[in-house]
Amino acid sequence: MGKLTIGCFSSLVGSLSLDFAVKLSEAAVKKGHSVDFWVSSNATMLSKKGQRAFKDYSALAKTLQELFATGKFQATACEACAEARGYGKEDTMEGWKRHSMDWYLASTFSADRVLLIGGD
Amino acid sequence: MGKLTIGCFSSLVGSLSLDFAVKLSEAAVKKGHSVDFWVSSNATMLSKKGQRAFKDYSALAKTLQELFATGKFQATACEACAEARGYGKEDTMEGWKRHSMDWYLASTFSADRVLLIGGD
Amino acid sequence: MATRRLAFVIRSLPYKTEASRLALTHAIASQTVEIYLEDGDLVEPVVCFIGDGVMNCLKNQQAMKNYGLTSIEQHMKNSLLLDLKVLICKEDLDKFGIKEDALIMDAEDIGGETKAQIVPYSEIQKEMEAVDHLQFF
Amino acid sequence: MATRRLAFVIRSLPYKTEASRLALTHAIASQTVEIYLEDGDLVEPVVCFIGDGVMNCLKNQQAMKNYGLTSIEQHMKNSLLLDLKVLICKEDLDKFGIKEDALIMDAEDIGGETKAQIVPYSEIQKEMEAVDHLQFF
Amino acid sequence: MKLGVFMSDFKTGSDVLNRLSAEKLGIILVGNGIYHATVKDTGKASSILDKSANFYVLAEDLESRGFNSSNVDSRVKVVTYGDVVDLMFNDYEKVIWI
Amino acid sequence: MKLGVFMSDFKTGSDVLNRLSAEKLGIILVGNGIYHATVKDTGKASSILDKSANFYVLAEDLESRGFNSSNVDSRVKVVTYGDVVDLMFNDYEKVIWI
């Protein structure tokens, strides 16, 4: 079984790229792989606590919680990117870590595959 | 002097379109026009309180405060779009209103010019 | 008593960005605009699909099944249910080889009476000239 | 003790999206990666500009003056100051008629010693084959 | 109609622009649209400049990307945000962003 | 190298794709990339399908946009998220997103 590191820089709603990244993570974990998930830039929105689920928007919080529960998935948001958007530590969804960008680079060191989803 | 209604659906950082919209508002107000400013979708990020100013990101809070102070500028964020992103009323920057989309439509009724900046 | 006409011209593909979804939800919001206006004043939208935007009008969009997301199809039907004027560019359909039976042309299944119209681009150009304000999504 | 090599291939225009900025800031973050790794282990980035991406390398970007925003130019210089390998595609420069003197080729003004290199696309292709992981921005 | 078009991208939108017709047409190059005014691809200027229209380019967006007025095609006039406001209110009745 | 490319757009990225060379190349159409598998523009299928590569299209993204496997070009295989994971780990050493 391998390790997949996903970097995602896309925005929460409006682009389905984040949905893709989360669904891909789900499929990889289901097959026994482990996944490191990094969000930067507008994708840090994914780590925001308290997103209200509307049917017009993709609501990914539940899937993320299920992924965290497997123990094979870790997710980290870029700290500066979050602060620039007014998300403090207290705004972060349970399970998420916040680090600087070197966390992502370090994660790629031991990754078997790296997928960078770059931009909207 | 006229009234300009701007609708902005772009994201905060990463696209400079929001910077464009705010600078255009500033220039219009400076010439004596009034501006209604509507943000929807990812652009609702602009109304978030507590954005930390980094030099790597456009920081528009100060300009917005100056615009509000002129009395010729009003800004409203799409309420559902904000809630979907986890921004409650208490997360809203001073001066901003939150309404549903009909506020924008109503604003266009009396506008001399409407500029919709649509998407990233 | 006045009516302002607003065009929502959709040229974007669905789902990659929120553009087409927002165009339709904002157009629909015209139905509740009177709470902000004087009695009898109205904002009347017309929705036009051109270029790649015609892909928004395809039937059988399974966004809810696959992503838990309301499809653009549903928003189209809501627009027709509320009697919005919806125009789809004929030349662009022809270019992509899309036939009328592949398109969301009505909202009969939810009780709508208004139909979408397939029109030449020149008709859409005329609408763009006739409206008070133009918006491209 | 091992080194993993990562390519950051930039094909996007600057400013419209954050893509090129993020590529450079993430590449630079390789310099502090050891806090997460075993002694002697390294992540080594190479930054390649291709296609429209070469526009990121133009001198005299006034983003700070006009938008209060660090320019991509500054990030390029920081990358060179930290001795990152930076490759710019020759064919794409030729296509756009951009000469070397219009480009950010060094960071001498801030004490850098490493220079950017203008290379044929075939060299960039070789880097893409040599690295452990590839990323396109 | 008198139509002002904000052109904000380099790679997309030309198809829309080509079909638009207006009695008076103004094209204001902003954001990454400024490359239409400054870049020659294999020696050829952007084909959108061949359209019958008045062309403008926003100075701030030009400068941010490393260009200045000496790089701008002679068919295009360099303008500021203030000028853009005047164009919108005085010269064009409708404005769109593509 | 064995390279897997996620193609996520319809209008951009072909220039990048055309230049890529790989001993083994897989192109996985996702998001709005699915139109390359389904749409003929004035009767002609997308030119990216002429590239020498293995082509895949993600079923979920196909269906969300109103298509199904009967609309897909015969050169393209319909796959699920699970299949994509296997392709990434078993068939390709490096993967990129454009």
Side-chain angles (χ1 to χ4, degrees), chain D residues 120-135:
Chain D
Y121 182 76
S122 58
E123 286 293 313
I124 291 173
Q125 172 79 28
K126 267 184 214 158
E127 281 290 346
M128 296 199 277
E129 288 175 15
V131 294
D132 295 289
H133 298 295
L134 252 180
Q135 306 165 101

Side-chain angles (χ1 to χ4, degrees), chain A residues 9 38 41 102 104-105 109, chain D residues 4 18 26 32-33 135 137:
Chain A
F9 297 173
W38 167 254
S41 178
D102 42 18
Y104 170 68
L105 276 283
F109 183 88
Chain D
R4 293 276 174 278
E18 267 192 293
H26 281 72
T32 51
V33 82
Q135 306 165 101
F137 288 84

Side-chain angles (χ1 to χ4, degrees), chain A residues 28-49:
Chain A
V29 166
K30 207 170 278 174
K31 286 186 177 270
H33 303 293
S34 69
V35 176
D36 276 6
F37 197 89
W38 167 254
V39 293
S40 193
S41 178
N42 287 338
T44 52
M45 295 165 89
L46 187 61
S47 69
K48 175 78 177 69
K49 196 167 71 178

Side-chain angles (χ1 to χ4, degrees), chain D residues 13-17 52 55-56 58-63 65-67 71 94-97, chain E residues 8-11 32 35 39-43 58-61 63-67 81 97:
Chain D
L13 291 167
Y15 301 110
K16 169 101 178 172
T17 71
D52 291 350
M55 296 297 175
N56 288 280
L58 290 174
K59 274 182 195 163
N60 302 319
Q61 298 175 27
Q62 307 288 321
K65 177 188 146 204
N66 289 312
Y67 288 103
S71 66
D94 290 349
K95 185 165 90 88
F96 291 125
Chain E
S8 71
D9 198 19
F10 187 39
K11 284 296 164 92
N32 281 348
Y35 294 105
V39 164
K40 287 192 167 64
D41 193 335
T42 54
L58 185 61
E60 283 84 346
D61 289 353
E63 292 174 12
S64 294
R65 287 161 180 79
F67 297 97
Y81 274 101
W97 175 280

Side-chain angles (χ1 to χ4, degrees), chain E residues 13-97:
Chain E
S14 302
D15 52 333
V16 176
L17 196 59
N18 285 336
R19 289 165 95 176
L20 285 173
S21 73
E23 184 194 318
K24 180 178 175 180
L25 182 65
I27 298 175
I28 309 169
L29 304 167
V30 297
N32 281 348
I34 69 105
Y35 294 105
H36 289 292
T38 51
V39 164
K40 287 192 167 64
D41 193 335
T42 54
K44 218 187 143 304
S46 168
S47 64
I48 75 160
L49 299 182
D50 297 333
K51 205 162 164 83
S52 171
N54 297 310
F55 291 95
Y56 309 93
V57 63
L58 185 61
E60 283 84 346
D61 289 353
L62 199 64
E63 292 174 12
S64 294
R65 287 161 180 79
F67 297 97
N68 59 52
S69 52
S70 75
N71 307 115
V72 170
D73 190 285
S74 62
R75 289 165 285 187
V76 184
K77 191 179 166 193
V78 180
V79 292
T80 64
Y81 274 101
D83 298 331
V84 169
V85 170
D86 288 341
L87 285 170
M88 289 175 72
F89 278 97
N90 303 337
D91 292 54
Y92 301 100
E93 301 153 344
K94 293 175 199 166
V95 281
I96 61 170
W97 175 280

Side-chain angles (χ1 to χ4, degrees), chain A residues 6-86:
Chain A
I6 299 177
C8 204
F9 297 173
S10 297
S11 53
L12 176 54
V13 193
S15 153
L16 280 176
S17 304
L18 262 187
D19 296 73
F20 175 90
V22 171
K23 274 193 171 280
L24 184 68
S25 300
E26 216 182 355
V29 166
K30 207 170 278 174
K31 286 186 177 270
H33 303 293
S34 69
V35 176
D36 276 6
F37 197 89
W38 167 254
V39 293
S40 193
S41 178
N42 287 338
T44 52
M45 295 165 89
L46 187 61
S47 69
K48 175 78 177 69
K49 196 167 71 178
Q51 295 172 42
R52 220 166 110 188
F54 290 104
K55 280 195 295 184
D56 257 18
Y57 293 93
S58 49
L60 296 167
K62 196 171 151 277
T63 312
L64 288 168
Q65 294 306 325
E66 289 165 4
L67 277 168
F68 283 130
T70 64
K72 292 203 150 279
F73 177 80
Q74 53 178 340
T76 301
C78 171
E79 189 161 25
C81 308
E83 291 286 336
R85 286 160 180 79

Side-chain angles (χ1 to χ4, degrees), chain C residues 16 52 62 65 67 95, chain F residues 11 32 42 61 63 81:
Chain C
K16 169 101 177 172
D52 291 349
Q62 306 290 320
K65 177 187 145 205
Y67 289 102
K95 185 166 90 88
Chain F
K11 283 296 164 91
N32 281 350
T42 53
D61 289 354
E63 291 173 13
Y81 275 100

